[in-house]
Amino acid sequence: MVDAAGKFEMRDAIYRGAEPDISIVIVSYNTRVMTLECIRSVLAQTTTVLYEIIVFDNASTDGSPEAIRANFPQVELIASQENLGFAGANNMAAMRARGRRFLLLNPDTLILNHAIDRLNEFADANPRFGIWGGRTVLSDGSLNPGSCWGDATLWSIFCLATGLTNLKRNSAVFNPEGYGGWKRDSIRAVDIVTGCFLLIDRELWEQLDGFDPDFFMYGEEADLCRRARKLGACPTITPAATIIHYGGSSEPDQAEYRIKVFAGRITLLRRHHSAATILAGKILYMMLPVLRLLAYGTAGVVSGRNDFREKARIWRHFWQHRQRWVNGWSDVGVRSARGNLRNNVSNETGAAEHPSEDALSRSRHQG
């Protein structure tokens, strides 16, 4: 009996020297167990497309590089001594990629039902789209709507800031960024394919010069897709390619997660909108934590509920550290997010010990 890793090695021996159809790029940051499970799922579920796997590790301190090196010597490992963020890491990995298409894949994902094969088939059938994505679900099979998004507008930011989006998640009017009401169960052109499972033509990636490095993390795929659409691309989702995406794997701290997301949101706002829209958008974004803090703080005092108090604490932290996000990704925000100041990258081939069984039950997101 030959296991998934053995099949990969045999295919690698047969096709050694051939150009792969897809370069699968995985950026990891302190997600050792999940990264190993993700790679195993790729090996087991990808059987018809010729591919290579490149893992860029963003200076993890949990033994991720050693684990990848020990378990998967056929995987190309780039072990960075500095956290370059999601955009920078993917750009670096893409420079090593040989495929005619790049698949950006989060480490907190599991491939289901030959999803990569299906996504590549969809791309072959619709080459003009340029960017393709699939459907993401949680570990219990319920929909994770984060595989794609609509562009942020002043209306969508207003709905988010005032809480209308949370109250009307199934409404396409009040949740336009989330395509409210659409279960991702049909083929559809979208504004943004999320970087957790994004397939892009190599030629288009190179035309765009990859991700804008000013996006340390979050917002980079929105910027990429917006620029790609200007070149005639049509990012599109297919439900035929479905994966599990847990979410939150490298940023369990909700306050810190929101700081990074909003830094990306405001960087995106500044990149693509007029001065008047930028000003209005920033005011709305600054309203959001104030309104949340007042609402949860009052509810916590009146009800005595600890969950409301905890949410108030999260929004208080978010507001107190607004210098890290209010102007988008800045030096102070990047330094804080990076966590270390070393600047050295080593290229190795690699992976580690078998992960624990709880990997399939955890629910967190990529950094």
Side-chain angles (χ1 to χ4, degrees):
M1 181 175 180
V2 180
D3 62 10
K7 291 178 182 177
F8 183 97
E9 288 169 358
M10 287 191 295
R11 285 166 53 81
D12 187 52
I14 293 170
Y15 295 111
R16 187 173 291 120
E19 294 297 314
D21 294 312
I22 293 179
S23 295
I24 301 170
V25 177
I26 302 171
V27 175
S28 65
Y29 178 65
N30 290 332
T31 52
R32 178 177 58 86
V33 173
M34 283 188 161
T35 301
L36 297 178
E37 287 291 353
C38 174
I39 294 171
R40 287 192 178 92
S41 74
V42 171
L43 301 182
Q45 292 291 327
T46 310
T47 58
T48 62
V49 64
L50 181 59
Y51 64 94
E52 64 177 353
I53 301 175
I54 302 171
V55 176
F56 190 101
D57 185 78
N58 256 330
S60 294
T61 57
D62 66 346
S64 289
E66 295 81 6
I68 297 165
R69 187 177 303 116
N71 281 287
F72 304 110
Q74 70 273 51
V75 168
E76 182 169 4
L77 172 67
I78 305 173
S80 175
Q81 292 187 355
E82 179 184 9
N83 184 350
L84 301 183
F86 188 75
N90 273 292
N91 287 347
M92 289 283 288
M95 293 173 66
R96 300 289 296 273
R98 298 180 296 128
R100 64 189 178 97
R101 293 183 180 128
F102 300 158
L103 177 67
L104 310 186
L105 184 67
N106 268 24
D108 58 344
T109 60
L110 292 177
I111 304 304
L112 302 176
N113 302 318
H114 304 280
I116 295 175
D117 294 332
R118 302 291 84 80
L119 188 59
N120 192 61
E121 290 168 4
F122 181 68
D124 283 342
N126 302 279
R128 68 179 184 83
F129 293 165
I131 295 175
W132 308 266
R135 187 172 187 263
T136 52
V137 298
L138 299 173
S139 57
D140 62 2
S142 62
L143 178 67
N144 178 344
S147 63
C148 59
W149 298 102
D151 281 334
T153 63
L154 282 182
W155 171 247
S156 72
I157 298 170
F158 172 81
C159 291
L160 183 67
T162 58
L164 286 171
T165 297
N166 287 336
L167 291 173
K168 301 286 185 180
R169 287 212 172 270
N170 289 324
S171 168
V173 174
F174 296 111
N175 185 18
E177 290 184 35
Y179 295 111
W182 176 43
K183 298 183 182 299
R184 280 58 171 169
D185 54 357
S186 58
I187 294 173
R188 178 171 173 174
V190 296
D191 292 333
I192 304 156
V193 173
T194 307
C196 73
F197 190 46
L198 182 153
L199 183 66
I200 182 170
D201 264 334
R202 179 194 194 97
E203 183 178 346
L204 178 58
W205 175 274
E206 292 177 345
Q207 275 186 281
L208 296 168
D209 201 21
F211 284 135
D212 184 337
D214 283 349
F215 291 85
F216 184 76
M217 57 193 297
Y218 300 115
E220 64 287 300
E221 70 267 77
D223 171 76
L224 182 86
C225 288
R226 184 183 284 263
R227 290 186 288 122
R229 296 196 321 262
K230 289 180 179 178
L231 295 179
C234 181
T236 303
I237 290 292
T238 175
T242 298
I243 67 170
I244 291 174
H245 181 210
Y246 296 104
S249 59
S250 66
E251 190 57 78
D253 186 310
Q254 285 298 303
E256 288 297 310
Y257 166 74
R258 286 184 170 89
I259 286 170
K260 295 178 177 67
V261 168
F262 274 69
R265 275 183 165 270
I266 291 181
T267 303
L268 192 65
L269 188 70
R270 293 174 60 185
R271 278 286 185 277
H272 297 285
H273 294 280
S274 67
T277 300
I278 293 168
L279 177 60
K282 284 182 67 173
I283 291 171
L284 289 170
Y285 279 134
M286 292 181 74
M287 280 174 51
L288 189 152
V290 174
L291 293 175
R292 297 295 194 280
L293 178 55
L294 288 172
Y296 286 120
T298 301
V301 170
V302 172
S303 68
R305 287 175 50 177
N306 288 331
D307 58 336
F308 288 151
R309 291 173 177 169
E310 174 60 16
K311 289 179 179 178
R313 183 201 65 79
I314 289 170
W315 287 111
R316 184 178 299 108
H317 178 91
F318 179 79
W319 177 251
Q320 289 171 340
H321 292 268
R322 59 189 177 278
Q323 75 278 5
R324 291 168 50 195
W325 58 266
V326 72
N327 292 312
W329 279 112
S330 61
D331 288 344
V332 64
V334 171
R335 283 198 304 270
S336 176
R338 179 169 286 141
N340 71 73
L341 301 177
R342 290 174 295 169
N343 186 19
N344 184 26
V345 176
S346 62
N347 299 317
E348 302 170 355
T349 309
E353 71 217 58
H354 193 281
S356 59
E357 295 298 323
D358 68 351
L360 304 184
S361 64
R362 291 196 287 169
S363 181
R364 307 186 300 172
H365 183 114
Q366 144 75 20

